[in-house]
Amino acid sequence: MKAKKYNFIVSTKAKDYTFVYRYTGSEMDIVLGTVERSKIDAMWFDHRNAVLTSIGDYCTSSSKHFDQSKFGIGWLIAMKTTD
């Protein structure tokens, strides 16, 4: 188990983007309704090589479960509005 001091989620958003980071690489649920548009394109960002990998397109009317555990620590979720 990871130390408790690292078990937190950091997020920030701009007009068309939202970024979510969790150091521990654990699963997380994200409420998509905080985005001002109706659809987003979610992507994993690998900080080691600056590659974005598509997760999928989602409606912002619900929450979404993201499982980062298969990638390890240090990945960021980048969400871009698509409408």
Side-chain angles (χ1 to χ4, degrees):
M1 182 174 159
K2 304 284 183 193
K4 286 184 179 182
K5 68 180 182 178
Y6 297 115
N7 192 20
F8 60 90
I9 297 172
V10 177
S11 67
T12 189
K13 69 180 187 175
K15 181 180 177 187
D16 295 323
Y17 289 91
T18 301
F19 302 98
V20 182
Y21 176 77
R22 186 168 197 174
Y23 175 82
T24 60
S26 303
E27 299 175 21
M28 61 184 130
D29 293 314
I30 299 175
V31 177
L32 302 176
T34 60
V35 178
E36 296 176 8
R37 307 275 179 87
S38 61
K39 293 184 180 181
I40 58 134
D41 179 22
M43 299 159 278
W44 288 113
F45 175 74
D46 183 352
H47 70 287
R48 295 169 292 205
N49 56 17
V51 171
L52 287 166
T53 303
S54 180
I55 302 170
D57 295 324
Y58 302 100
C59 292
T60 59
S61 61
S62 63
S63 63
K64 174 70 179 141
H65 182 81
F66 294 96
D67 184 5
Q68 182 184 349
S69 62
K70 58 187 167 192
F71 299 111
I73 64 171
W75 287 67
L76 174 89
I77 297 175
M79 295 180 279
K80 181 181 186 298
T81 57
T82 59
D83 64 346

Coordinates of all heavy atoms in Angstrom, one line a residue:
M1 N 0.8 -1.2 0.0 CA 0.0 0.0 0.0 C 0.9 1.2 0.0 O 1.9 1.3 0.7 CB -0.9 0.0 1.2 CG -1.8 1.1 1.3 SD -3.0 1.0 2.7 CE -3.4 2.6 2.9
K2 N 0.5 2.2 -0.8 CA 1.2 3.5 -0.9 C 1.0 4.3 0.4 O 0.0 4.2 1.1 CB 0.8 4.3 -2.1 CG 0.9 3.6 -3.4 CD 2.3 3.5 -3.8 CE 2.3 2.9 -5.2 NZ 3.6 2.5 -5.6
A3 N 2.0 5.1 0.7 CA 1.9 6.0 1.9 C 0.7 6.9 1.8 O 0.4 7.4 0.7 CB 3.2 6.7 2.1
K4 N 0.0 7.2 2.9 CA -1.2 8.1 2.9 C -0.8 9.5 2.4 O -1.7 10.1 1.8 CB -1.8 8.1 4.3 CG -2.5 6.9 4.7 CD -3.2 7.1 6.0 CE -3.9 5.8 6.3 NZ -4.7 6.0 7.6
K5 N 0.4 9.9 2.6 CA 0.7 11.3 2.2 C 0.6 11.5 0.7 O 0.6 12.6 0.2 CB 2.0 11.8 2.8 CG 3.2 11.1 2.2 CD 4.5 11.6 2.9 CE 5.7 11.0 2.3 NZ 6.9 11.5 2.9
Y6 N 0.7 10.4 0.0 CA 0.7 10.5 -1.5 C -0.7 10.1 -2.1 O -0.9 10.2 -3.3 CB 1.7 9.5 -2.1 CG 3.1 9.9 -1.8 CD1 3.9 9.0 -1.0 CD2 3.6 11.1 -2.2 CE1 5.2 9.3 -0.7 CE2 5.0 11.4 -1.9 CZ 5.7 10.5 -1.1 OH 7.0 10.8 -0.8
N7 N -1.7 9.8 -1.2 CA -3.0 9.4 -1.7 C -4.0 10.6 -1.8 O -4.8 10.8 -1.0 CB -3.6 8.3 -0.7 CG -4.8 7.6 -1.3 OD1 -5.0 7.6 -2.5 ND2 -5.6 7.1 -0.4
F8 N -3.7 11.3 -2.9 CA -4.6 12.5 -3.2 C -4.7 12.7 -4.7 O -4.0 12.1 -5.4 CB -4.0 13.8 -2.5 CG -2.7 14.1 -3.0 CD1 -2.5 15.0 -4.1 CD2 -1.5 13.7 -2.3 CE1 -1.3 15.3 -4.5 CE2 -0.3 14.0 -2.8 CZ -0.1 14.9 -3.9
I9 N -5.7 13.4 -5.1 CA -6.0 13.7 -6.5 C -5.8 15.2 -6.7 O -6.4 16.0 -5.9 CB -7.4 13.2 -6.9 CG1 -7.5 11.7 -6.7 CG2 -7.7 13.6 -8.3 CD1 -8.9 11.2 -6.9
V10 N -5.1 15.6 -7.8 CA -5.0 17.0 -8.1 C -5.6 17.2 -9.5 O -5.5 16.4 -10.4 CB -3.5 17.4 -8.2 CG1 -3.3 18.8 -8.7 CG2 -2.8 17.1 -6.9
S11 N -6.4 18.2 -9.6 CA -7.0 18.5 -10.9 C -7.0 20.0 -11.2 O -7.0 20.8 -10.2 CB -8.5 18.0 -11.0 OG -9.3 18.7 -10.1
T12 N -7.1 20.3 -12.4 CA -7.2 21.7 -12.8 C -7.9 21.8 -14.2 O -7.9 20.8 -14.9 CB -5.8 22.4 -13.0 OG1 -6.0 23.8 -13.2 CG2 -5.0 21.8 -14.1
K13 N -8.5 22.9 -14.5 CA -9.2 23.0 -15.8 C -9.1 24.4 -16.4 O -8.9 25.3 -15.7 CB -10.7 22.6 -15.7 CG -11.6 23.5 -14.9 CD -13.0 22.9 -14.9 CE -13.9 23.9 -14.3 NZ -15.3 23.4 -14.4
A14 N -9.1 24.4 -17.7 CA -9.1 25.6 -18.4 C -10.4 25.6 -19.3 O -11.3 24.8 -19.0 CB -7.9 25.7 -19.3
K15 N -10.5 26.5 -20.2 CA -11.8 26.6 -21.0 C -12.1 25.3 -21.7 O -13.3 24.9 -21.6 CB -11.6 27.7 -22.1 CG -12.8 27.9 -22.9 CD -12.6 29.0 -23.9 CE -13.9 29.1 -24.8 NZ -13.7 30.1 -25.9
D16 N -11.2 24.6 -22.4 CA -11.5 23.4 -23.2 C -10.8 22.2 -22.6 O -11.0 21.1 -23.2 CB -11.1 23.6 -24.6 CG -11.9 24.7 -25.3 OD1 -13.1 24.8 -25.0 OD2 -11.3 25.5 -26.1
Y17 N -10.1 22.3 -21.5 CA -9.3 21.1 -21.0 C -9.5 20.9 -19.5 O -9.7 21.9 -18.8 CB -7.8 21.3 -21.3 CG -7.4 21.1 -22.7 CD1 -7.4 22.2 -23.6 CD2 -7.1 19.9 -23.3 CE1 -7.0 22.1 -24.9 CE2 -6.8 19.7 -24.6 CZ -6.7 20.9 -25.4 OH -6.4 20.7 -26.7
T18 N -9.5 19.7 -19.1 CA -9.4 19.4 -17.7 C -8.3 18.3 -17.5 O -8.2 17.4 -18.3 CB -10.7 18.8 -17.2 OG1 -11.8 19.7 -17.4 CG2 -10.7 18.4 -15.7
F19 N -7.5 18.5 -16.5 CA -6.4 17.5 -16.2 C -6.5 17.0 -14.8 O -6.8 17.7 -13.9 CB -5.0 18.2 -16.3 CG -4.8 18.9 -17.7 CD1 -5.1 20.2 -17.9 CD2 -4.4 18.1 -18.7 CE1 -4.8 20.8 -19.1 CE2 -4.2 18.6 -20.0 CZ -4.4 20.0 -20.2
V20 N -6.4 15.7 -14.7 CA -6.5 15.0 -13.4 C -5.3 14.1 -13.1 O -4.9 13.3 -14.0 CB -7.8 14.2 -13.3 CG1 -8.0 13.6 -11.9 CG2 -9.0 15.0 -13.6
Y21 N -4.7 14.2 -12.0 CA -3.5 13.4 -11.7 C -3.6 12.8 -10.3 O -4.1 13.4 -9.3 CB -2.3 14.4 -11.6 CG -1.0 13.7 -11.2 CD1 -0.3 12.9 -12.1 CD2 -0.5 13.9 -10.0 CE1 0.9 12.3 -11.8 CE2 0.7 13.3 -9.6 CZ 1.4 12.5 -10.5 OH 2.6 11.9 -10.1
R22 N -3.2 11.5 -10.2 CA -3.2 10.8 -9.0 C -1.9 10.1 -8.9 O -1.6 9.1 -9.7 CB -4.4 9.8 -8.8 CG -4.4 9.2 -7.5 CD -5.7 8.5 -7.3 NE -5.9 8.2 -5.8 CZ -7.0 7.7 -5.3 NH1 -8.0 7.4 -6.1 NH2 -7.1 7.5 -4.1
Y23 N -1.0 10.5 -8.0 CA 0.3 9.9 -7.9 C 0.4 8.4 -7.7 O 1.2 7.8 -8.2 CB 1.1 10.6 -6.7 CG 2.4 10.1 -6.5 CD1 3.5 10.5 -7.2 CD2 2.6 9.1 -5.5 CE1 4.8 9.9 -7.1 CE2 3.9 8.5 -5.3 CZ 5.0 9.0 -6.1 OH 6.2 8.4 -5.9
T24 N -0.5 7.9 -6.9 CA -0.5 6.5 -6.5 C -0.8 5.5 -7.6 O -0.6 4.3 -7.6 CB -1.4 6.1 -5.3 OG1 -2.8 6.5 -5.7 CG2 -1.0 6.9 -4.1
G25 N -1.4 6.0 -8.7 CA -1.8 5.2 -9.8 C -3.0 4.3 -9.5 O -3.3 3.4 -10.2
S26 N -3.8 4.7 -8.5 CA -5.0 4.0 -8.1 C -6.2 4.3 -9.0 O -6.2 5.3 -9.8 CB -5.3 4.3 -6.7 OG -4.3 4.1 -5.8
E27 N -7.2 3.5 -8.8 CA -8.5 3.8 -9.5 C -9.1 5.1 -9.0 O -8.9 5.5 -7.8 CB -9.5 2.6 -9.3 CG -8.9 1.3 -9.9 CD -9.8 0.2 -9.6 OE1 -11.0 0.4 -9.3 OE2 -9.4 -1.0 -9.6
M28 N -9.9 5.7 -9.8 CA -10.6 6.9 -9.3 C -11.9 7.2 -10.1 O -12.0 6.7 -11.3 CB -9.7 8.2 -9.4 CG -9.3 8.5 -10.8 SD -8.1 9.9 -10.8 CE -6.8 9.2 -11.8
D29 N -12.9 7.8 -9.5 CA -14.1 8.2 -10.1 C -14.1 9.7 -10.3 O -13.8 10.4 -9.4 CB -15.3 7.8 -9.3 CG -15.5 6.3 -9.2 OD1 -15.4 5.6 -10.3 OD2 -15.7 5.8 -8.1
I30 N -14.4 10.1 -11.5 CA -14.4 11.6 -11.9 C -15.7 12.0 -12.3 O -16.3 11.4 -13.2 CB -13.3 11.9 -13.0 CG1 -11.9 11.5 -12.5 CG2 -13.4 13.3 -13.4 CD1 -10.9 11.6 -13.6
V31 N -16.3 13.0 -11.7 CA -17.5 13.6 -12.0 C -17.3 14.5 -13.2 O -16.7 15.5 -13.2 CB -18.2 14.4 -10.9 CG1 -19.5 15.0 -11.3 CG2 -18.3 13.5 -9.6
L32 N -17.9 14.1 -14.4 CA -17.6 14.8 -15.6 C -18.5 16.0 -15.8 O -18.3 16.9 -16.6 CB -17.8 13.8 -16.8 CG -16.9 12.6 -16.8 CD1 -17.3 11.7 -18.0 CD2 -15.5 13.0 -16.8
G33 N -19.5 16.1 -15.0 CA -20.5 17.2 -15.1 C -19.9 18.6 -14.7 O -20.6 19.6 -14.9
T34 N -18.7 18.6 -14.2 CA -18.1 19.9 -13.9 C -17.6 20.6 -15.1 O -17.2 21.8 -15.1 CB -17.0 19.8 -12.9 OG1 -16.0 18.9 -13.4 CG2 -17.5 19.2 -11.6
V35 N -17.5 19.9 -16.3 CA -17.1 20.4 -17.5 C -18.2 21.2 -18.2 O -19.4 20.7 -18.1 CB -16.5 19.3 -18.5 CG1 -16.1 19.9 -19.8 CG2 -15.4 18.6 -17.8
E36 N -18.0 22.3 -18.7 CA -19.1 23.2 -19.2 C -19.8 22.7 -20.5 O -20.8 23.2 -20.9 CB -18.6 24.6 -19.4 CG -18.2 25.2 -18.0 CD -17.6 26.6 -18.2 OE1 -17.6 27.1 -19.3 OE2 -17.1 27.1 -17.2
R37 N -19.2 21.7 -21.2 CA -19.7 21.2 -22.5 C -20.4 19.9 -22.2 O -20.3 19.3 -21.2 CB -18.6 21.1 -23.5 CG -17.8 22.4 -23.7 CD -18.5 23.4 -24.7 NE -17.8 24.6 -24.9 CZ -16.8 24.8 -25.7 NH1 -16.4 23.8 -26.5 NH2 -16.3 26.0 -25.8
S38 N -21.0 19.3 -23.2 CA -21.8 18.1 -23.1 C -21.0 16.8 -23.4 O -21.3 15.7 -23.0 CB -23.0 18.1 -23.9 OG -22.7 18.2 -25.3
K39 N -19.8 17.0 -24.0 CA -19.0 15.8 -24.4 C -17.5 16.1 -24.2 O -17.1 17.2 -24.4 CB -19.2 15.3 -25.8 CG -20.6 14.8 -26.1 CD -20.7 14.3 -27.5 CE -22.1 13.7 -27.7 NZ -22.2 13.2 -29.1
I40 N -16.8 15.0 -23.8 CA -15.3 15.2 -23.7 C -14.6 14.0 -24.3 O -15.2 12.9 -24.5 CB -14.9 15.2 -22.2 CG1 -15.3 14.0 -21.4 CG2 -15.3 16.5 -21.5 CD1 -14.3 13.4 -20.6
D41 N -13.4 14.2 -24.7 CA -12.5 13.2 -25.2 C -11.5 13.0 -24.1 O -10.7 13.9 -23.8 CB -11.9 13.6 -26.5 CG -10.9 12.5 -27.1 OD1 -11.0 11.4 -26.7 OD2 -10.0 12.9 -27.9
A42 N -11.4 11.8 -23.5 CA -10.5 11.5 -22.4 C -9.3 10.8 -23.0 O -9.4 9.9 -23.8 CB -11.2 10.7 -21.3
M43 N -8.1 11.1 -22.4 CA -6.8 10.5 -22.9 C -5.9 10.3 -21.7 O -5.9 11.1 -20.7 CB -6.1 11.5 -23.9 CG -6.9 11.8 -25.1 SD -6.3 13.3 -25.9 CE -7.2 14.5 -25.0
W44 N -5.1 9.3 -21.7 CA -4.0 9.1 -20.7 C -2.8 9.8 -21.3 O -2.5 9.7 -22.5 CB -3.7 7.6 -20.6 CG -4.7 6.8 -19.9 CD1 -5.5 5.8 -20.4 CD2 -5.0 6.9 -18.5 NE1 -6.3 5.3 -19.4 CE2 -6.0 5.9 -18.3 CE3 -4.6 7.7 -17.4 CZ2 -6.6 5.7 -17.0 CZ3 -5.2 7.5 -16.2 CH2 -6.2 6.5 -16.0
F45 N -2.1 10.5 -20.4 CA -0.9 11.2 -20.8 C 0.3 10.5 -20.1 O 0.3 10.4 -18.8 CB -0.9 12.7 -20.4 CG 0.4 13.4 -20.7 CD1 0.8 13.7 -22.0 CD2 1.2 13.7 -19.7 CE1 2.0 14.3 -22.3 CE2 2.4 14.4 -19.9 CZ 2.8 14.7 -21.2
D46 N 1.2 10.0 -20.8 CA 2.4 9.3 -20.2 C 3.5 10.4 -20.1 O 4.0 10.8 -21.2 CB 2.9 8.2 -21.1 CG 4.0 7.4 -20.5 OD1 4.6 7.9 -19.5 OD2 4.4 6.4 -21.1
H47 N 3.9 10.8 -18.9 CA 4.9 11.8 -18.7 C 6.3 11.4 -19.2 O 7.1 12.3 -19.4 CB 4.9 12.2 -17.2 CG 5.5 11.2 -16.4 ND1 4.8 10.0 -16.1 CD2 6.7 11.1 -15.8 CE1 5.6 9.3 -15.3 NE2 6.7 9.9 -15.1
R48 N 6.5 10.1 -19.3 CA 7.9 9.7 -19.6 C 8.2 9.9 -21.1 O 9.4 10.2 -21.4 CB 8.0 8.2 -19.3 CG 7.9 7.9 -17.8 CD 7.8 6.5 -17.6 NE 6.5 6.0 -18.1 CZ 5.8 5.0 -17.7 NH1 6.4 4.2 -16.7 NH2 4.7 4.7 -18.2
N49 N 7.2 9.9 -22.0 CA 7.5 10.1 -23.4 C 6.5 11.1 -24.1 O 6.5 11.3 -25.3 CB 7.4 8.8 -24.2 CG 6.1 8.1 -24.0 OD1 5.1 8.7 -23.6 ND2 6.1 6.8 -24.3
A50 N 5.7 11.8 -23.3 CA 4.7 12.8 -23.7 C 3.8 12.3 -24.8 O 3.4 13.0 -25.7 CB 5.5 14.0 -24.2
V51 N 3.3 11.0 -24.6 CA 2.4 10.4 -25.5 C 1.0 10.4 -24.9 O 0.8 10.1 -23.8 CB 2.8 9.0 -25.9 CG1 1.7 8.3 -26.7 CG2 4.1 9.0 -26.7
L52 N 0.0 10.9 -25.7 CA -1.4 10.8 -25.3 C -2.0 9.5 -25.9 O -1.9 9.3 -27.1 CB -2.2 12.0 -25.9 CG -1.9 13.3 -25.1 CD1 -2.4 14.5 -25.9 CD2 -2.5 13.3 -23.7
T53 N -2.8 8.8 -25.1 CA -3.5 7.6 -25.6 C -4.9 7.7 -25.3 O -5.3 8.0 -24.1 CB -2.9 6.3 -24.8 OG1 -1.5 6.2 -25.0 CG2 -3.6 5.1 -25.3
S54 N -5.8 7.6 -26.3 CA -7.2 7.8 -26.2 C -7.8 6.8 -25.2 O -7.5 5.6 -25.3 CB -7.9 7.8 -27.5 OG -9.3 8.0 -27.4
I55 N -8.7 7.3 -24.3 CA -9.5 6.4 -23.5 C -10.9 6.3 -24.1 O -11.5 5.2 -24.1 CB -9.6 7.0 -22.0 CG1 -8.2 7.2 -21.4 CG2 -10.5 6.1 -21.2 CD1 -8.3 8.0 -20.1
G56 N -11.4 7.4 -24.6 CA -12.8 7.3 -25.2 C -13.5 8.7 -25.1 O -13.0 9.6 -24.5
D57 N -14.6 8.8 -25.8 CA -15.5 9.9 -25.7 C -16.6 9.7 -24.7 O -17.2 8.6 -24.7 CB -16.1 10.2 -27.1 CG -15.0 10.6 -28.1 OD1 -14.0 11.3 -27.7 OD2 -15.1 10.2 -29.3
Y58 N -16.9 10.7 -23.9 CA -17.9 10.5 -22.9 C -18.8 11.7 -22.8 O -18.4 12.8 -23.0 CB -17.3 10.3 -21.5 CG -16.3 9.1 -21.5 CD1 -15.0 9.3 -21.6 CD2 -16.8 7.8 -21.4 CE1 -14.1 8.2 -21.6 CE2 -16.0 6.7 -21.4 CZ -14.6 6.9 -21.5 OH -13.8 5.8 -21.5
C59 N -20.1 11.4 -22.4 CA -21.0 12.5 -22.1 C -20.7 13.0 -20.7 O -20.3 12.3 -19.8 CB -22.5 12.0 -22.2 SG -23.0 11.6 -23.8
T60 N -20.9 14.3 -20.5 CA -20.5 14.9 -19.2 C -21.7 14.9 -18.2 O -21.6 15.5 -17.2 CB -20.0 16.3 -19.4 OG1 -21.1 17.1 -20.0 CG2 -18.8 16.4 -20.2
S61 N -22.7 14.1 -18.5 CA -23.9 14.1 -17.6 C -23.7 13.1 -16.5 O -24.7 12.8 -15.8 CB -25.1 13.8 -18.4 OG -25.0 12.5 -19.1
S62 N -22.6 12.4 -16.4 CA -22.4 11.4 -15.4 C -21.0 11.4 -14.8 O -20.2 12.3 -15.2 CB -22.7 10.0 -15.9 OG -21.8 9.7 -17.0
S63 N -20.6 10.4 -14.1 CA -19.3 10.2 -13.6 C -18.7 9.0 -14.3 O -19.4 8.2 -14.9 CB -19.2 10.0 -12.1 OG -19.9 8.9 -11.7
K64 N -17.4 8.9 -14.3 CA -16.7 7.9 -15.0 C -15.6 7.3 -14.1 O -14.9 8.0 -13.5 CB -16.1 8.4 -16.3 CG -15.2 7.5 -17.1 CD -16.0 6.4 -17.7 CE -15.1 5.5 -18.5 NZ -15.4 4.1 -18.4
H65 N -15.5 6.0 -14.2 CA -14.5 5.3 -13.4 C -13.2 5.1 -14.3 O -13.3 4.5 -15.4 CB -15.0 3.9 -12.9 CG -14.1 3.2 -12.1 ND1 -13.9 3.4 -10.7 CD2 -13.2 2.2 -12.4 CE1 -13.0 2.6 -10.3 NE2 -12.5 1.8 -11.3
F66 N -12.1 5.5 -13.8 CA -10.8 5.4 -14.5 C -9.9 4.5 -13.7 O -9.7 4.7 -12.5 CB -10.2 6.7 -14.8 CG -11.0 7.6 -15.7 CD1 -11.8 8.6 -15.2 CD2 -10.8 7.5 -17.1 CE1 -12.6 9.4 -16.1 CE2 -11.5 8.3 -17.9 CZ -12.4 9.2 -17.4
D67 N -9.3 3.5 -14.3 CA -8.4 2.6 -13.7 C -7.0 2.8 -14.2 O -6.6 2.3 -15.3 CB -8.8 1.1 -13.9 CG -8.0 0.2 -13.1 OD1 -7.1 0.6 -12.4 OD2 -8.2 -1.0 -13.3
Q68 N -6.2 3.5 -13.5 CA -4.8 3.8 -13.8 C -3.8 2.7 -13.4 O -2.7 2.7 -13.8 CB -4.4 5.1 -13.2 CG -3.0 5.6 -13.5 CD -2.7 6.9 -12.7 OE1 -3.6 7.5 -12.1 NE2 -1.5 7.3 -12.8
S69 N -4.3 1.8 -12.6 CA -3.4 0.8 -12.0 C -2.6 -0.1 -13.0 O -1.5 -0.5 -12.7 CB -4.2 -0.1 -11.0 OG -5.2 -0.9 -11.7
K70 N -3.2 -0.3 -14.2 CA -2.5 -1.1 -15.1 C -1.3 -0.4 -15.8 O -0.5 -1.0 -16.4 CB -3.5 -1.6 -16.2 CG -4.2 -0.6 -17.0 CD -5.2 -1.2 -17.9 CE -6.2 -0.1 -18.4 NZ -7.3 -0.6 -19.0
F71 N -1.2 0.9 -15.6 CA -0.2 1.7 -16.2 C 1.0 2.0 -15.2 O 2.1 2.3 -15.6 CB -0.7 3.0 -16.7 CG -1.7 2.9 -17.8 CD1 -3.0 3.2 -17.5 CD2 -1.4 2.4 -19.0 CE1 -4.0 3.1 -18.5 CE2 -2.3 2.2 -20.0 CZ -3.7 2.6 -19.8
G72 N 0.7 2.0 -13.9 CA 1.7 2.4 -12.9 C 1.5 3.8 -12.5 O 0.5 4.5 -12.9
I73 N 2.4 4.4 -11.8 CA 2.3 5.7 -11.3 C 2.7 6.8 -12.3 O 3.4 6.5 -13.2 CB 3.1 5.9 -10.0 CG1 4.6 5.8 -10.2 CG2 2.6 5.0 -8.9 CD1 5.4 6.1 -9.0
G74 N 2.2 8.0 -12.1 CA 2.7 9.1 -12.9 C 1.9 9.5 -14.1 O 2.2 10.4 -14.9
W75 N 0.8 8.8 -14.4 CA 0.0 9.1 -15.6 C -1.1 10.1 -15.2 O -1.6 10.2 -14.1 CB -0.7 7.8 -16.1 CG 0.2 6.8 -16.7 CD1 1.2 6.1 -16.1 CD2 0.2 6.5 -18.1 NE1 1.9 5.4 -17.0 CE2 1.3 5.5 -18.2 CE3 -0.5 6.8 -19.2 CZ2 1.6 4.9 -19.4 CZ3 -0.2 6.2 -20.4 CH2 0.9 5.3 -20.5
L76 N -1.4 10.9 -16.2 CA -2.3 12.0 -16.1 C -3.5 11.8 -17.0 O -3.3 11.2 -18.1 CB -1.6 13.3 -16.5 CG -2.4 14.6 -16.6 CD1 -2.4 15.3 -15.2 CD2 -1.9 15.5 -17.6
I77 N -4.7 12.1 -16.6 CA -5.9 12.1 -17.4 C -6.1 13.5 -18.0 O -6.2 14.4 -17.3 CB -7.1 11.6 -16.7 CG1 -6.9 10.2 -16.2 CG2 -8.4 11.7 -17.6 CD1 -8.1 9.7 -15.3
A78 N -6.1 13.6 -19.3 CA -6.4 14.8 -20.0 C -7.7 14.7 -20.7 O -8.0 13.7 -21.4 CB -5.3 15.1 -21.1
M79 N -8.6 15.7 -20.4 CA -10.0 15.6 -21.0 C -10.2 16.9 -21.8 O -10.0 18.0 -21.3 CB -11.0 15.5 -19.9 CG -10.9 14.2 -19.2 SD -12.2 14.0 -17.9 CE -11.4 14.9 -16.6
K80 N -10.5 16.8 -23.1 CA -10.7 17.9 -24.0 C -12.2 17.9 -24.4 O -12.8 16.9 -24.7 CB -9.9 17.8 -25.2 CG -10.0 18.9 -26.2 CD -9.1 18.7 -27.4 CE -9.1 19.8 -28.3 NZ -10.4 20.2 -28.9
T81 N -12.8 19.1 -24.3 CA -14.2 19.2 -24.7 C -14.3 19.0 -26.2 O -13.4 19.4 -27.0 CB -14.8 20.6 -24.3 OG1 -14.0 21.6 -24.9 CG2 -14.9 20.7 -22.8
T82 N -15.3 18.4 -26.7 CA -15.4 18.1 -28.1 C -16.6 18.7 -28.8 O -16.8 18.4 -30.0 CB -15.5 16.5 -28.4 OG1 -16.6 16.0 -27.7 CG2 -14.2 15.9 -27.9
D83 N -17.4 19.5 -28.2 CA -18.5 20.1 -28.8 C -18.6 21.6 -28.6 O -17.8 22.1 -27.8 CB -19.9 19.5 -28.4 CG -20.2 19.6 -27.0 OD1 -19.3 20.0 -26.2 OD2 -21.3 19.4 -26.6

